[in-house]
Amino acid sequence: MSETLDINATATPTWTEEEIRQQPETWLKALKNLDKQRCEIDAFLQPVLNAGNTKIILTGAGTSAFIGDIIAPWLARHTQLDIVAVPTTDIVSNPMDYFSKGRTTLLVSFARSGNSPESVAAVELASQMIDNSYHLMITCNDAGALYLDAHNNPRAYALLMPPETHDRGFAMTSSITTMMASCLAVFAPEVINLASFSVVSERCQQIIDSLGDFHSHPFGDLPFKRIVYLGSGGLQGVARESALKVLELTAGKLAAFYDSPTGFRHGPKSLVDGETLVIVMISSHPYTRQYDLDLLTELRNDKQAMRVIAIAAERHPAIDAGPHFYLPPARHFHDVEQAFCFLIYAQIFALSESLKAGITPDSPSANGTVNRVVQGVIIHPWNA
C-alpha cells in the first residue's frame, strides 16, 4: 500500500533532499574505497583483535551515536566480539563507567564533521585512561579534528567517507548510513561487502524512486501532532534516529518518540491518542517478528491512534489488516540491512513534514539554539 499524496511540487531541491537521494550511490562508492584499503585496515585491526579480551566501543554524538545502537547488536552476535555502543556524550561525563585501564580497547568513532567537542574529548580520554587504547575514526570530513589527529597517532586509523557525505544540510542523512555501511563491512566483510550490499542499494533506490518528489507525505497527509517509531533490537536504534530526524527537521513542532514494541506497553503507550501516528518497523527475524506483529495488532485493535502503519519486507495477514508498506522484493535481509530501508522512509517523512510546516530543512533552527556542529560544550579535564 502506498499512502503518498500526489502533489506536483516545484520547489528547488534542498541539500537535505539531495543528500537523501544520493545514498544508494554513496554506499557503493564508500565500499569500493574500503576494498582498496582492506589490507591496511586488516593490518591495523588484527593485532588489536588478537590481543585477547578486546573491548570494542562504537561511539559518536547525536545521530552518529545511533549508528552503534543500530549495528552493535548484530555485529556482536555475528562476530562473537565484545562490541558495545556508548555515546561520546556519556563517555565524557562518565568515562570511569566505560573505560578499563588494563583492558585493550578499540574506540570506533563515527563523525560527520569530526569536530564535535565530545567526540574529540572521548578519544583523548581513552588515550589518557586506558593503557592499550586504539582508535578507528570513521568520518566524512578530511579537515576535521578526528581525521587529522589520526595521522599523528600510531594507534589510530582514519577511514574517510566520500566527500559528498559530509552533509551540508543540518540533519545527518547520507553521513549516518554511509558510515554505518562502512563499519559493517570493516568487521563483517563476509556478509556486508560491495557485492552483497548492491542489493540493499538497489532496494533503497526503488523506495526513493517510488516516493517521487519528496514533497508529498509518505505516511499520509493527516493532522497528527505526534509520531511514535517502534523497532526491536537494532531496529530500536533506527526508531530512535527516525524520531530525532523528524524532531530536528520540524524544529520540534512535531513531537517524536521511540521505543521497542515490547517496551512500549510498559507506560509509554499512554501517549497514544487521536492525533498520534505510530510506525512499527517489522523485524525480519521470525522469532522477533512475532512480538512486533502482536503489538501491531494490539495498537490497531485499541483504535486510539490516528493511524498505525507497518513497514515490513514479508507479507503477513496482520500487516495486511491495516495501513502498511512492503519493501520492494529482494533476497532475505538481516535486520541490520533492513535498517537502511527503514531509515530512507524516515528521512523522507521528516523532510516532507519540515516542508509542510514551512521550515527550511537545511537550517530548521531559526533561533540558532541548535547547531549543525554542537556549540557551548565545556570539556572538563580528567584528573582522577
Side-chain angles (χ1 to χ4, degrees), residues 31-231:
L31 294 183
K32 286 179 183 177
N33 292 340
L34 193 151
D35 281 347
K36 296 175 183 177
Q37 300 174 67
R38 177 65 65 180
C39 291
E40 291 181 5
I41 294 169
D42 290 346
F44 170 74
L45 287 178
Q46 284 175 2
V48 181
L49 301 182
N50 292 339
N53 199 31
T54 299
K55 182 177 184 179
I56 302 172
I57 301 176
L58 308 185
T59 194
T63 287
S64 293
F66 304 157
I67 297 174
D69 291 339
I70 295 167
I71 68 177
W74 182 85
L75 269 182
R77 174 165 54 88
H78 176 77
T79 63
Q80 295 298 297
L81 296 170
D82 184 6
I83 301 177
V84 297
V86 183
T88 58
T89 47
D90 289 350
I91 289 174
V92 295
S93 60
N94 292 72
M96 60 283 182
D97 292 340
Y98 308 108
F99 293 158
S100 300
K101 178 177 176 61
R103 186 175 182 190
T104 300
T105 301
L106 173 65
L107 194 68
V108 181
S109 298
F110 301 106
R112 171 171 63 174
S113 72
N115 291 320
S116 294
E118 301 95 337
S119 296
V120 175
V123 170
E124 294 173 350
L125 282 166
S127 298
Q128 181 181 352
M129 298 176 66
I130 304 169
D131 290 339
N132 293 305
S133 66
Y134 297 85
H135 302 274
L136 174 62
M137 284 78 161
I138 302 180
T139 181
C140 307
N141 182 17
D142 62 359
L146 286 185
Y147 183 81
L148 296 175
D149 288 351
H151 293 282
N152 298 315
N153 185 347
R155 292 190 171 191
Y157 187 91
L159 183 59
L160 185 64
M161 302 297 97
E164 62 268 28
T165 65
H166 187 205
D167 298 325
R168 302 192 212 188
F170 173 81
M172 291 176 62
T173 52
S174 68
S175 50
I176 173 181
T177 54
T178 308
M179 289 190 287
M180 196 163 84
S182 297
C183 187
L184 288 167
V186 165
F187 290 101
E190 66 286 348
V191 177
I192 306 296
N193 53 61
L194 183 58
S196 68
F197 209 75
S198 64
V199 183
V200 180
S201 176
E202 290 169 7
R203 199 178 213 183
C204 288
Q205 185 63 59
Q206 289 178 285
I207 294 170
I208 290 170
D209 293 343
S210 73
L211 294 176
D213 57 29
F214 290 8
H215 297 264
S216 305
H217 302 282
F219 299 150
D221 188 20
L222 297 172
F224 36 77
K225 298 290 182 62
R226 58 183 70 172
I227 180 169
V228 181
Y229 283 99
L230 302 174

